[in-house]
Amino acid sequence: MNYSEALEKLNSCGQEHVLKYYGELSEESQKSLLSQIEKLDMSLLNCFSKKDISGKRGNFKPLGAVTIDEVKQRYSEFSETGINAIKNGKVATVLLAGGQGTRLGFEHPKGMFNIGLNRELYIFECLMNNIKSTAEKSGAWIPLYIMTSETNNAETVEFFEKHDYFGYNKDYVTFFIQDMAFAVDENGKIILEDKDKIFLSPNGNGGWFSSIAKAGLLGEIKNKGIEWINVFAVDNVLQQIADPAFIGSVICSECESGGKVVSKASPDEKVGVLCLENDKPSIVEYYEMTDEMRNGREPDGSLSYRYGVILNYLFRTDRLEEIMNNEMPVHIVKKKVNCLDESGNPVNREVYKFETLVLDMIHMQKSCLSYEVERNREFAPVKNAEGVDSVDTARNLLIENGIEI
Ligand code: UTP
């Protein structure tokens, strides 16, 4: 793309300020900026002008779950079914590790955070210990695909190499890189990181499957006969990965997908709730719930919209392929980042980022099994440096579960 083509592309959507410093740049920087402009997906700007996607939601109804008691009763049936699926190579796992972890304020990939007190214990290590124990139980290595971003890929790969994959078989670990997206200010103007650089950040966790396809890994997944993919977040240090009973219960229920849930601690807890929307499975975010939905109760006194998701889902590979090219809702997320202000000076300011989310894939499924787990056994998220869902709360939960830290 040459200068006038770039200017035309930007002009057509009121973004010509991106070329404001072009005349000051070296030839090499000019070329680099033009190629960044060429790659910009301007359709995102329409999402910003529409902004409020919550208005488009349908009719919600509560959805029940396989409860902890029901799981206990059918535990051996579920876990045997899951272990057989793992043994037969039908299950793979995907670790979503492309996020920036802004809230934690740690300047490396979140998984590199040392959550140990008296010994080194990294978040990645906790996860690898968990998948390793399932692999041992099942007698088979479970393929693990790790999604990173252009920003954190090199550091993440190096960290795994340095720690010898925390004892996991590295032949079963594959990294792939997700896409990036630009961000805008409150007036919808594209943000610059530098005079020759458009600010880009990871475009949310919703593109994980299409990024797998883009990375050329779909052929391998199909050739291996992988039927189920368990996708999970990096930040839950008690995350149970490829949990045989979870996989088995989804298989036995003949549902197309599954989601691990916990009973909400209070009506106001800030978690998305697995429910029905227009009679299809869906996740409603806490800020999208009306007071009536938040506080509504069943005759037995329990919350009607009771089951909060913990970002641990199971999907069928064939169904993921079918929906891979479906348009996903784009969420606009406010975050503080380092960039340039309107006068070209470095600042740390709030910008609006564009993200697609894995939770929206649930609404593209015909059915989803809500699978209840014990909060204190399986949910220890590290989102914040202190307070709720923080390093301290996660440490306490690790200790409560007998893990030395
Ligand atoms: P979060 O929603 O907690 O986002 O991600 P984040 O970027 O990690 O953290 P904050 O909001 O800036 O503090 C939930 C999961 O999705 C992954 C994260 O790595 C985490 O496992 N994720 C998020 C991606 O893989 N890519 C993204 O673009 C965003």
Side-chain angles (χ1 to χ4, degrees):
M1 176 172 269
N2 63 31
Y3 177 82
S4 51
E5 287 164 341
L7 188 60
E8 197 186 323
K9 178 170 178 177
L10 295 169
N11 257 332
S12 65
C13 34
Q15 302 291 339
E16 50 289 346
H17 65 282
V18 173
L19 283 167
K20 190 169 165 188
Y21 306 104
Y22 189 80
E24 298 175 26
L25 304 177
S26 68
E27 207 176 309
E28 199 182 324
S29 296
Q30 287 181 339
K31 262 197 207 151
S32 147
L33 184 59
L34 293 178
S35 102
Q36 293 167 53
I37 295 169
E38 186 172 12
K39 288 185 206 136
L40 291 180
D41 170 11
M42 295 304 201
S43 65
L44 285 179
L45 293 167
N46 299 333
C47 308
F48 187 72
S49 51
K50 285 188 215 138
K51 239 180 209 164
D52 184 16
I53 59 160
S54 56
K56 287 191 214 143
R57 304 300 300 249
N59 292 323
F60 291 114
K61 274 192 224 151
L63 174 67
V66 181
T67 62
I68 293 169
D69 283 345
E70 283 162 350
V71 172
K72 273 187 193 147
Q73 280 163 23
R74 294 179 66 186
Y75 188 78
S76 39
E77 177 196 354
F78 289 161
S79 64
E80 251 170 54
T81 308
I83 285 187
N84 277 338
I86 293 172
K87 259 196 195 138
N88 293 326
K90 293 189 190 309
V91 180
T93 56
V94 172
L95 161 56
L96 303 173
Q100 291 189 302
T102 342
R103 285 170 285 172
L104 181 61
F106 178 60
E107 75 236 18
H108 302 283
K110 204 188 251 188
M112 285 173 60
F113 187 83
N114 178 11
I115 193 130
L117 276 175
N118 302 313
R119 64 169 182 132
E120 280 179 7
L121 179 66
Y122 301 97
I123 292 182
F124 278 139
E125 187 173 2
C126 295
L127 300 177
M128 297 312 286
N129 286 344
N130 288 349
I131 189 172
K132 210 163 54 181
S133 99
T134 310
E136 276 161 12
K137 242 192 273 168
S138 316
W141 295 107
I142 307 157
L144 169 65
Y145 295 89
I146 303 180
M147 182 165 88
T148 60
S149 75
E150 275 164 28
T151 323
N152 70 13
N153 182 66
E155 214 179 345
T156 306
V157 175
E158 199 183 307
F159 191 73
F160 271 86
E161 285 286 336
K162 181 173 160 205
H163 291 277
D164 202 15
Y165 292 73
F166 299 100
Y168 206 69
N169 185 338
K170 72 180 269 189
D171 295 343
Y172 287 79
V173 181
T174 310
F175 296 88
F176 66 100
I177 300 178
Q178 70 170 99
D179 286 339
M180 308 283 272
F182 63 79
V184 295
D185 67 12
E186 59 286 359
N187 300 313
K189 299 288 179 197
I190 292 176
I191 299 283
L192 292 179
E193 184 174 329
D194 219 329
K195 292 183 173 173
D196 62 348
K197 200 166 173 210
I198 294 167
F199 174 87
L200 296 177
S201 62
N203 66 348
N205 56 30
W208 66 274
F209 192 71
S210 50
S211 295
I212 283 190
K214 242 191 207 174
L217 296 168
L218 208 50
E220 163 186 316
I221 286 179
K222 290 202 306 197
N223 288 342
K224 282 184 176 164
I226 292 167
E227 288 177 11
W228 295 97
I229 302 185
N230 178 210
V231 53
F232 59 94
V234 71
D235 44 33
N236 175 6
V237 287
L238 287 179
Q239 191 81 260
Q240 297 304 303
I241 303 158
D243 174 355
F246 174 43
I247 296 165
S249 73
V250 176
I251 295 175
C252 294
S253 71
E254 295 185 8
C255 278
E256 211 172 66
S257 64
K260 284 199 166 187
V261 295
V262 292
S263 278
K264 279 176 69 168
S266 71
D268 293 327
E269 194 186 3
K270 291 182 175 164
V271 287
V273 167
L274 190 49
C275 60
L276 292 174
E277 180 182 359
N278 297 341
D279 295 323
K280 279 174 65 194
S282 190
I283 291 160
V284 57
E285 286 282 16
Y286 65 91
Y287 51 81
E288 295 172 320
M289 287 170 82
T290 58
D291 278 349
E292 203 184 339
M293 286 172 79
R294 243 190 293 271
N295 297 306
R297 302 223 171 231
E298 296 298 292
D300 67 359
S302 62
L303 288 173
S304 298
Y305 291 89
R306 171 177 173 184
Y307 295 114
V309 285
I310 60 169
L311 221 174
N312 188 321
Y313 302 109
L314 187 68
F315 292 103
R316 282 187 67 104
T317 317
D318 53 1
R319 185 72 190 129
L320 287 168
E321 264 193 282
E322 278 170 29
I323 64 168
M324 187 167 70
N325 297 318
N326 285 13
E327 209 177 305
M328 291 188 79
V330 177
H331 297 252
I332 293 167
V333 186
K334 224 191 214 181
K335 285 201 178 165
K336 255 192 159 177
V337 302
N338 293 325
C339 57
L340 294 189
D341 66 12
E342 289 77 8
S343 318
N345 300 313
V347 279
N348 183 262
R349 59 170 292 182
E350 269 187 344
V351 301
Y352 297 86
K353 293 175 32 172
F354 301 90
E355 295 193 348
T356 59
L357 302 178
V358 58
L359 58 83
D360 287 316
M361 283 180 157
I362 292 295
H363 195 45
M364 297 173 186
Q365 311 293 316
K366 293 185 189 102
S367 52
C368 178
L369 184 80
S370 195
Y371 180 93
E372 190 190 11
V373 299
E374 269 181 68
R375 171 185 288 265
N376 284 13
R377 297 271 162 269
E378 297 205 20
F379 191 41
V382 184
K383 293 283 184 196
N384 305 303
E386 40 194 48
V388 184
D389 297 341
S390 64
V391 175
D392 279 346
T393 56
R395 278 186 178 139
N396 289 340
L397 285 161
L398 284 170
I399 295 168
E400 195 181 315
N401 282 278
I403 296 163
E404 207 184 303
I405 64 170

